Amino acid sequence: MKILSAPSPALYDFEPSAGEFFGELFLGLSQNPKSIPSKFLYDKTGSELFDQICCLDEYYLTRTEVLILRNNVAEISTLFGSDCRLIELGSGSSAKTRILLDHLHEPAAYVPIDIAGDHLLQSTARLARVYPELCITPVCADFTGALTLPESSYSTKRTVAFFPGSTIGNLEPVEAEKFLRRIAILCGAGGGLLIGVDLKKDRPTLERAYNDARGITAAFNLNLLTRINRAFSAGIRVDQFQHYAFYNEEFGRIEMRLVSLADQTAQLNGTPFVFGQGEHIITEYSYKYAAQEFAKLAARSGWTVKRLWTDAAKLFSVQYLEIR
Ligand code: AVJ
């Protein structure tokens, strides 16, 4: 992990080290069924494709969350109070954060954290121009790993983490619980967590969101293989893989997969990995929660749900949690 202090662009360049990428890839592809951690979907191209996904008609999550944030930002600001330090986990282009920053009562600092360094650099630079008064200290890191916040030279009354997008859904419940507990420790006493949580709903709506007509989600998924080829000259035939996403109701999650259309072998630093025709790689889980289920998960992690906002169709929720 690197803590970045503006303005030193060179520091922002972050790619997982080849060793780190290789290690996790090797482990995932040695499993049965094969899997690859979803965080590797977000290289430069992946992050750009994800931004496009967020604008798709089928992908109701982003626009619904933005609507909920807009409709309730006054109440959210009151809950945060003045002089709060806002941490964002997986800040991406920070578009949703601007809704908060425009309304917060004298925020003390903003700490965007993201794994995609270039993306983080660009959005932080843009943000600094819009909020010249705000202390912004970007951190380029995998927030599922150990996190240290930059030293603060400012005084804050409370640290609030912002975790939008239902990214919590990428983690399996046991991991989500551990993660939420770590965030509680990071925020410390009096801390808060504003989190976006996608809700359970009918299968067609869910499956359409991950199988858009324009094939952007497919391109996003397949880009992972292109990235692996680039990093390791793995020789994967990307055109012989197919995107597949479906709702697994038993587990309450969308499963995104890459299915091999042919028998083929990839090479990872000299180790062959065989893909049989029809064999799949799991590339992402996206868990959906009923409000009650998430409240229980929060409680197991040391949080209590203080407030839950949703949209008229109850597609998505934004929740404010406090440390118990
Ligand atoms: C960013 C993890 C919330 O699971 O909906 C979008 C990623 N994957 N389309 C999600 C994603 C396919 C997204 N999250």
Side-chain angles (χ1 to χ4, degrees):
M1 187 188 72
K2 280 185 264 184
I3 294 174
L4 310 172
S5 55
S8 174
L11 280 176
Y12 290 92
D13 272 317
F14 176 87
E15 276 274 307
S17 70
E20 192 185 331
F21 190 17
F22 175 76
E24 295 200 41
L25 204 56
F26 192 98
L27 207 69
L29 293 181
S30 304
Q31 242 107 68
N32 186 17
K34 294 182 172 72
S35 66
I36 300 174
S38 61
K39 66 186 174 190
F40 294 122
L41 289 163
Y42 299 89
D43 64 349
K44 186 167 191 297
T45 306
S47 297
E48 282 164 6
L49 286 166
F50 179 66
D51 280 352
Q52 287 184 43
I53 288 173
C54 291
C55 299
L56 294 170
D57 277 347
E58 296 98 329
Y59 198 72
Y60 61 85
L61 290 81
T62 311
R63 64 170 177 279
T64 310
E65 182 174 45
V66 166
L67 185 84
I68 297 168
L69 286 170
R70 286 225 170 88
N71 286 343
N72 301 285
V73 70
E75 192 186 350
I76 291 168
S77 300
T78 304
L79 287 163
F80 282 19
S82 62
D83 296 310
C84 82
R85 171 169 61 164
L86 183 64
I87 302 171
E88 182 168 3
L89 306 158
S91 50
S93 49
S94 293
K96 293 164 191 166
T97 325
R98 293 189 53 173
I99 302 170
L100 300 178
L101 292 175
D102 283 341
H103 291 85
L104 288 185
H105 308 302
E106 299 172 51
Y110 174 50
V111 186
I113 305 174
D114 203 284
I115 192 171
D118 293 336
H119 219 59
L120 182 65
L121 164 64
Q122 284 168 21
S123 47
T124 303
R126 230 178 296 126
L127 222 58
R129 266 177 260 127
V130 182
Y131 306 97
E133 310 280 83
L134 184 68
C135 173
I136 307 176
T137 50
V139 174
C140 186
D142 169 5
F143 59 74
T144 60
L147 276 180
T148 315
L149 294 178
E151 287 287 318
S152 54
S153 52
Y154 37 83
S155 70
T156 57
K157 286 192 189 140
R158 115 184 33 243
T159 298
V160 176
F162 182 38
F163 195 37
S166 199
T167 305
I168 190 71
N170 275 176
L171 301 177
E172 299 199 46
V174 173
E175 296 304 316
E177 187 182 323
K178 285 189 209 152
F179 176 73
L180 292 179
R181 206 174 287 131
R182 285 184 36 234
I183 299 307
I185 293 163
L186 194 70
C187 292
L193 171 61
L194 186 69
I195 187 168
V197 181
D198 196 17
L199 300 173
K200 284 192 167 153
K201 61 185 64 63
D202 64 284
R203 174 184 297 275
T205 303
L206 282 169
E207 291 188 340
R208 261 198 304 272
Y210 295 85
N211 291 285
D212 63 280
R214 287 170 55 205
I216 310 290
T217 308
F220 171 68
N221 198 5
L222 288 161
N223 173 60
L224 186 54
L225 299 176
T226 308
R227 182 183 191 178
I228 294 168
N229 277 344
R230 191 171 58 236
F232 305 105
S233 305
I236 299 168
R237 289 156 64 197
V238 180
D239 64 338
Q240 292 300 311
F241 270 95
Q242 197 170 47
H243 163 76
Y244 177 63
F246 73 104
Y247 183 56
N248 183 333
E249 197 165 353
E250 187 190 344
F251 292 94
R253 68 190 181 205
I254 288 282
E255 293 189 19
M256 198 163 80
R257 300 176 172 182
L258 288 163
V259 184
S260 183
L261 299 176
D263 292 330
Q264 55 177 308
T265 305
Q267 298 285 339
L268 278 188
N269 290 351
T271 304
F273 285 91
V274 176
F275 300 91
Q277 186 185 346
E279 185 181 352
H280 70 269
I281 311 168
I282 298 163
T283 54
E284 185 175 60
Y285 288 151
S286 193
Y287 279 84
K288 311 300 171 187
Y289 288 96
Q292 292 300 329
E293 290 172 341
F294 191 78
K296 281 185 196 155
L297 174 65
R300 289 199 299 272
S301 322
W303 294 94
T304 180
V305 179
K306 181 103 193 281
R307 199 76 180 80
L308 181 150
W309 302 274
T310 187
D311 53 296
K314 294 195 162 50
L315 292 173
F316 198 90
S317 72
V318 174
Q319 312 193 20
Y320 186 68
L321 280 53
E322 283 181 344
I323 292 170
R324 286 194 295 163

